mmCIF file of all heavy atoms in Angstrom:
data_model
loop_
_atom_site.group_PDB
_atom_site.id
_atom_site.type_symbol
_atom_site.label_atom_id
_atom_site.label_comp_id
_atom_site.label_asym_id
_atom_site.label_seq_id
_atom_site.Cartn_x
_atom_site.Cartn_y
_atom_site.Cartn_z
ATOM 1 N N PRO A 1 -7.541 18.290 3.556
ATOM 2 C CA PRO A 1 -6.578 18.600 4.616
ATOM 3 C C PRO A 1 -6.702 17.712 5.850
ATOM 4 O O PRO A 1 -5.759 17.608 6.623
ATOM 5 C CB PRO A 1 -6.873 20.065 4.946
ATOM 6 C CG PRO A 1 -8.198 20.365 4.364
ATOM 7 C CD PRO A 1 -8.443 19.399 3.260
ATOM 8 N N ARG A 2 -7.838 17.061 6.027
ATOM 9 C CA ARG A 2 -8.029 16.213 7.204
ATOM 10 C C ARG A 2 -7.704 14.745 6.919
ATOM 11 O O ARG A 2 -7.950 13.883 7.748
ATOM 12 C CB ARG A 2 -9.452 16.367 7.718
ATOM 13 C CG ARG A 2 -9.711 17.821 8.158
ATOM 14 C CD ARG A 2 -11.116 18.071 8.538
ATOM 15 N NE ARG A 2 -11.405 17.418 9.793
ATOM 16 C CZ ARG A 2 -12.581 17.398 10.355
ATOM 17 N NH1 ARG A 2 -13.593 18.030 9.793
ATOM 18 N NH2 ARG A 2 -12.785 16.779 11.499
ATOM 19 N N LEU A 3 -7.154 14.481 5.739
ATOM 20 C CA LEU A 3 -6.761 13.126 5.365
ATOM 21 C C LEU A 3 -5.252 12.975 5.511
ATOM 22 O O LEU A 3 -4.483 13.795 5.025
ATOM 23 C CB LEU A 3 -7.172 12.839 3.913
ATOM 24 C CG LEU A 3 -6.840 11.447 3.386
ATOM 25 C CD1 LEU A 3 -7.676 10.391 4.100
ATOM 26 C CD2 LEU A 3 -7.087 11.391 1.892
ATOM 27 N N GLU A 4 -4.840 11.929 6.182
ATOM 28 C CA GLU A 4 -3.412 11.668 6.368
ATOM 29 C C GLU A 4 -3.007 10.506 5.458
ATOM 30 O O GLU A 4 -3.600 9.432 5.497
ATOM 31 C CB GLU A 4 -3.128 11.276 7.820
ATOM 32 C CG GLU A 4 -1.696 10.895 8.071
ATOM 33 C CD GLU A 4 -1.488 10.266 9.444
ATOM 34 O OE1 GLU A 4 -2.467 10.018 10.168
ATOM 35 O OE2 GLU A 4 -0.315 9.997 9.771
ATOM 36 N N LEU A 5 -2.019 10.731 4.617
ATOM 37 C CA LEU A 5 -1.494 9.682 3.751
ATOM 38 C C LEU A 5 -0.266 9.092 4.420
ATOM 39 O O LEU A 5 0.684 9.809 4.739
ATOM 40 C CB LEU A 5 -1.126 10.254 2.378
ATOM 41 C CG LEU A 5 -0.602 9.235 1.372
ATOM 42 C CD1 LEU A 5 -1.672 8.207 1.029
ATOM 43 C CD2 LEU A 5 -0.135 9.945 0.114
ATOM 44 N N ARG A 6 -0.298 7.788 4.648
ATOM 45 C CA ARG A 6 0.829 7.097 5.274
ATOM 46 C C ARG A 6 1.456 6.164 4.239
ATOM 47 O O ARG A 6 0.981 5.042 4.052
ATOM 48 C CB ARG A 6 0.353 6.343 6.505
ATOM 49 C CG ARG A 6 -0.111 7.303 7.585
ATOM 50 C CD ARG A 6 -0.501 6.684 8.903
ATOM 51 N NE ARG A 6 -0.327 5.268 9.045
ATOM 52 C CZ ARG A 6 -1.138 4.497 9.741
ATOM 53 N NH1 ARG A 6 -2.181 5.005 10.361
ATOM 54 N NH2 ARG A 6 -0.910 3.204 9.836
ATOM 55 N N PRO A 7 2.498 6.622 3.551
ATOM 56 C CA PRO A 7 3.114 5.798 2.504
ATOM 57 C C PRO A 7 3.984 4.692 3.078
ATOM 58 O O PRO A 7 4.573 4.823 4.146
ATOM 59 C CB PRO A 7 3.945 6.795 1.704
ATOM 60 C CG PRO A 7 4.200 7.931 2.620
ATOM 61 C CD PRO A 7 3.089 7.958 3.628
ATOM 62 N N ALA A 8 4.027 3.607 2.331
ATOM 63 C CA ALA A 8 4.911 2.489 2.660
ATOM 64 C C ALA A 8 5.562 2.047 1.359
ATOM 65 O O ALA A 8 4.946 2.141 0.303
ATOM 66 C CB ALA A 8 4.111 1.338 3.270
ATOM 67 N N ARG A 9 6.810 1.597 1.439
ATOM 68 C CA ARG A 9 7.476 1.177 0.217
ATOM 69 C C ARG A 9 7.778 -0.304 0.278
ATOM 70 O O ARG A 9 7.840 -0.910 1.345
ATOM 71 C CB ARG A 9 8.734 1.986 -0.011
ATOM 72 C CG ARG A 9 9.815 1.735 0.987
ATOM 73 C CD ARG A 9 11.036 2.527 0.633
ATOM 74 N NE ARG A 9 12.071 2.266 1.618
ATOM 75 C CZ ARG A 9 12.952 3.137 1.989
ATOM 76 N NH1 ARG A 9 12.929 4.337 1.466
ATOM 77 N NH2 ARG A 9 13.855 2.827 2.879
ATOM 78 N N GLY A 10 7.964 -0.854 -0.896
ATOM 79 C CA GLY A 10 8.289 -2.276 -0.980
ATOM 80 C C GLY A 10 8.248 -2.735 -2.420
ATOM 81 O O GLY A 10 8.123 -1.931 -3.347
ATOM 82 N N ARG A 11 8.310 -4.025 -2.600
ATOM 83 C CA ARG A 11 8.208 -4.620 -3.929
ATOM 84 C C ARG A 11 6.754 -4.986 -4.184
ATOM 85 O O ARG A 11 5.974 -5.154 -3.247
ATOM 86 C CB ARG A 11 9.095 -5.844 -4.029
ATOM 87 C CG ARG A 11 10.563 -5.489 -3.907
ATOM 88 C CD ARG A 11 11.422 -6.722 -3.922
ATOM 89 N NE ARG A 11 12.808 -6.339 -3.772
ATOM 90 C CZ ARG A 11 13.731 -6.618 -4.665
ATOM 91 N NH1 ARG A 11 13.441 -7.288 -5.741
ATOM 92 N NH2 ARG A 11 14.971 -6.226 -4.464
ATOM 93 N N SER A 12 6.415 -5.126 -5.445
ATOM 94 C CA SER A 12 5.026 -5.384 -5.812
ATOM 95 C C SER A 12 4.415 -6.551 -5.055
ATOM 96 O O SER A 12 3.329 -6.436 -4.488
ATOM 97 C CB SER A 12 4.897 -5.620 -7.323
ATOM 98 O OG SER A 12 5.132 -4.435 -8.032
ATOM 99 N N ALA A 13 5.110 -7.696 -5.030
ATOM 100 C CA ALA A 13 4.554 -8.893 -4.386
ATOM 101 C C ALA A 13 4.266 -8.661 -2.905
ATOM 102 O O ALA A 13 3.201 -9.049 -2.398
ATOM 103 C CB ALA A 13 5.500 -10.077 -4.576
ATOM 104 N N SER A 14 5.202 -8.035 -2.191
ATOM 105 C CA SER A 14 4.988 -7.823 -0.753
ATOM 106 C C SER A 14 3.898 -6.780 -0.503
ATOM 107 O O SER A 14 3.130 -6.894 0.458
ATOM 108 C CB SER A 14 6.287 -7.428 -0.063
ATOM 109 O OG SER A 14 6.763 -6.193 -0.565
ATOM 110 N N LEU A 15 3.806 -5.772 -1.362
ATOM 111 C CA LEU A 15 2.751 -4.767 -1.194
ATOM 112 C C LEU A 15 1.376 -5.354 -1.472
ATOM 113 O O LEU A 15 0.404 -5.063 -0.765
ATOM 114 C CB LEU A 15 3.022 -3.553 -2.092
ATOM 115 C CG LEU A 15 4.266 -2.722 -1.739
ATOM 116 C CD1 LEU A 15 4.522 -1.670 -2.803
ATOM 117 C CD2 LEU A 15 4.125 -2.092 -0.362
ATOM 118 N N ILE A 16 1.278 -6.197 -2.502
ATOM 119 C CA ILE A 16 -0.001 -6.865 -2.796
ATOM 120 C C ILE A 16 -0.414 -7.743 -1.626
ATOM 121 O O ILE A 16 -1.578 -7.740 -1.204
ATOM 122 C CB ILE A 16 0.106 -7.682 -4.103
ATOM 123 C CG1 ILE A 16 0.251 -6.738 -5.307
ATOM 124 C CG2 ILE A 16 -1.104 -8.592 -4.282
ATOM 125 C CD1 ILE A 16 0.636 -7.429 -6.611
ATOM 126 N N ALA A 17 0.536 -8.475 -1.075
ATOM 127 C CA ALA A 17 0.247 -9.323 0.086
ATOM 128 C C ALA A 17 -0.216 -8.483 1.278
ATOM 129 O O ALA A 17 -1.132 -8.880 2.005
ATOM 130 C CB ALA A 17 1.484 -10.143 0.455
ATOM 131 N N ALA A 18 0.385 -7.311 1.462
ATOM 132 C CA ALA A 18 -0.006 -6.430 2.574
ATOM 133 C C ALA A 18 -1.429 -5.890 2.381
ATOM 134 O O ALA A 18 -2.177 -5.741 3.354
ATOM 135 C CB ALA A 18 0.993 -5.277 2.702
ATOM 136 N N VAL A 19 -1.821 -5.612 1.140
ATOM 137 C CA VAL A 19 -3.188 -5.167 0.883
ATOM 138 C C VAL A 19 -4.158 -6.306 1.184
ATOM 139 O O VAL A 19 -5.183 -6.110 1.852
ATOM 140 C CB VAL A 19 -3.360 -4.661 -0.572
ATOM 141 C CG1 VAL A 19 -4.825 -4.398 -0.886
ATOM 142 C CG2 VAL A 19 -2.545 -3.394 -0.799
ATOM 143 N N LYS A 20 -3.845 -7.502 0.718
ATOM 144 C CA LYS A 20 -4.705 -8.663 0.982
ATOM 145 C C LYS A 20 -4.853 -8.929 2.474
ATOM 146 O O LYS A 20 -5.918 -9.295 2.952
ATOM 147 C CB LYS A 20 -4.132 -9.915 0.312
ATOM 148 C CG LYS A 20 -4.295 -9.942 -1.183
ATOM 149 C CD LYS A 20 -3.679 -11.240 -1.718
ATOM 150 C CE LYS A 20 -3.674 -11.291 -3.209
ATOM 151 N NZ LYS A 20 -3.014 -12.509 -3.722
ATOM 152 N N ALA A 21 -3.760 -8.707 3.225
ATOM 153 C CA ALA A 21 -3.777 -8.960 4.676
ATOM 154 C C ALA A 21 -4.436 -7.827 5.455
ATOM 155 O O ALA A 21 -4.676 -7.960 6.651
ATOM 156 C CB ALA A 21 -2.342 -9.169 5.173
ATOM 157 N N GLY A 22 -4.708 -6.704 4.789
ATOM 158 C CA GLY A 22 -5.324 -5.580 5.480
ATOM 159 C C GLY A 22 -4.327 -4.646 6.133
ATOM 160 O O GLY A 22 -4.714 -3.724 6.847
ATOM 161 N N ASP A 23 -3.041 -4.862 5.891
ATOM 162 C CA ASP A 23 -2.017 -3.990 6.465
ATOM 163 C C ASP A 23 -1.886 -2.685 5.683
ATOM 164 O O ASP A 23 -1.391 -1.691 6.215
ATOM 165 C CB ASP A 23 -0.667 -4.704 6.501
ATOM 166 C CG ASP A 23 -0.708 -5.930 7.410
ATOM 167 O OD1 ASP A 23 -1.465 -5.908 8.395
ATOM 168 O OD2 ASP A 23 0.008 -6.898 7.111
ATOM 169 N N LEU A 24 -2.291 -2.690 4.413
ATOM 170 C CA LEU A 24 -2.329 -1.488 3.579
ATOM 171 C C LEU A 24 -3.732 -1.341 3.007
ATOM 172 O O LEU A 24 -4.425 -2.334 2.782
ATOM 173 C CB LEU A 24 -1.321 -1.601 2.417
ATOM 174 C CG LEU A 24 0.152 -1.574 2.743
ATOM 175 C CD1 LEU A 24 0.975 -1.834 1.475
ATOM 176 C CD2 LEU A 24 0.547 -0.233 3.355
ATOM 177 N N ASP A 25 -4.131 -0.104 2.765
ATOM 178 C CA ASP A 25 -5.440 0.141 2.156
ATOM 179 C C ASP A 25 -5.392 -0.031 0.640
ATOM 180 O O ASP A 25 -6.365 -0.462 0.019
ATOM 181 C CB ASP A 25 -5.922 1.555 2.500
ATOM 182 C CG ASP A 25 -6.114 1.728 3.993
ATOM 183 O OD1 ASP A 25 -6.833 0.903 4.595
ATOM 184 O OD2 ASP A 25 -5.530 2.682 4.556
ATOM 185 N N ALA A 26 -4.283 0.347 0.038
ATOM 186 C CA ALA A 26 -4.105 0.250 -1.410
ATOM 187 C C ALA A 26 -2.609 0.279 -1.697
ATOM 188 O O ALA A 26 -1.812 0.637 -0.836
ATOM 189 C CB ALA A 26 -4.794 1.412 -2.111
ATOM 190 N N ALA A 27 -2.256 -0.084 -2.922
ATOM 191 C CA ALA A 27 -0.843 -0.066 -3.305
ATOM 192 C C ALA A 27 -0.718 0.215 -4.791
ATOM 193 O O ALA A 27 -1.499 -0.283 -5.591
ATOM 194 C CB ALA A 27 -0.171 -1.389 -2.954
ATOM 195 N N LEU A 28 0.264 1.024 -5.132
ATOM 196 C CA LEU A 28 0.616 1.300 -6.516
ATOM 197 C C LEU A 28 1.735 0.330 -6.874
ATOM 198 O O LEU A 28 2.857 0.458 -6.395
ATOM 199 C CB LEU A 28 1.083 2.749 -6.675
ATOM 200 C CG LEU A 28 1.380 3.207 -8.092
ATOM 201 C CD1 LEU A 28 0.140 3.123 -8.965
ATOM 202 C CD2 LEU A 28 1.896 4.633 -8.077
ATOM 203 N N VAL A 29 1.394 -0.685 -7.673
ATOM 204 C CA VAL A 29 2.315 -1.782 -7.964
ATOM 205 C C VAL A 29 2.250 -2.142 -9.444
ATOM 206 O O VAL A 29 1.380 -1.671 -10.174
ATOM 207 C CB VAL A 29 1.946 -3.037 -7.132
ATOM 208 C CG1 VAL A 29 2.086 -2.776 -5.649
ATOM 209 C CG2 VAL A 29 0.547 -3.517 -7.464
ATOM 210 N N ALA A 30 3.152 -3.012 -9.852
ATOM 211 C CA ALA A 30 3.082 -3.616 -11.178
ATOM 212 C C ALA A 30 2.133 -4.807 -11.070
ATOM 213 O O ALA A 30 2.342 -5.687 -10.234
ATOM 214 C CB ALA A 30 4.463 -4.062 -11.625
ATOM 215 N N GLN A 31 1.082 -4.812 -11.891
ATOM 216 C CA GLN A 31 0.111 -5.901 -11.823
ATOM 217 C C GLN A 31 0.757 -7.191 -12.329
ATOM 218 O O GLN A 31 1.418 -7.188 -13.370
ATOM 219 C CB GLN A 31 -1.123 -5.581 -12.654
ATOM 220 C CG GLN A 31 -2.216 -6.626 -12.520
ATOM 221 C CD GLN A 31 -3.492 -6.236 -13.241
ATOM 222 O OE1 GLN A 31 -3.579 -5.170 -13.827
ATOM 223 N NE2 GLN A 31 -4.479 -7.092 -13.199
ATOM 224 N N PRO A 32 0.582 -8.281 -11.612
ATOM 225 C CA PRO A 32 1.179 -9.548 -12.044
ATOM 226 C C PRO A 32 0.648 -9.960 -13.420
ATOM 227 O O PRO A 32 -0.485 -9.646 -13.775
ATOM 228 C CB PRO A 32 0.726 -10.542 -10.970
ATOM 229 C CG PRO A 32 0.319 -9.715 -9.812
ATOM 230 C CD PRO A 32 -0.134 -8.399 -10.364
#
């Protein structure tokens, strides 16, 4: 209950880039 999930949407490539950049903690994507 003390964990906040902040979802973000996008395409696989942009979400992967956001994880690499540290803008997202993780992403559910299609693996290249």
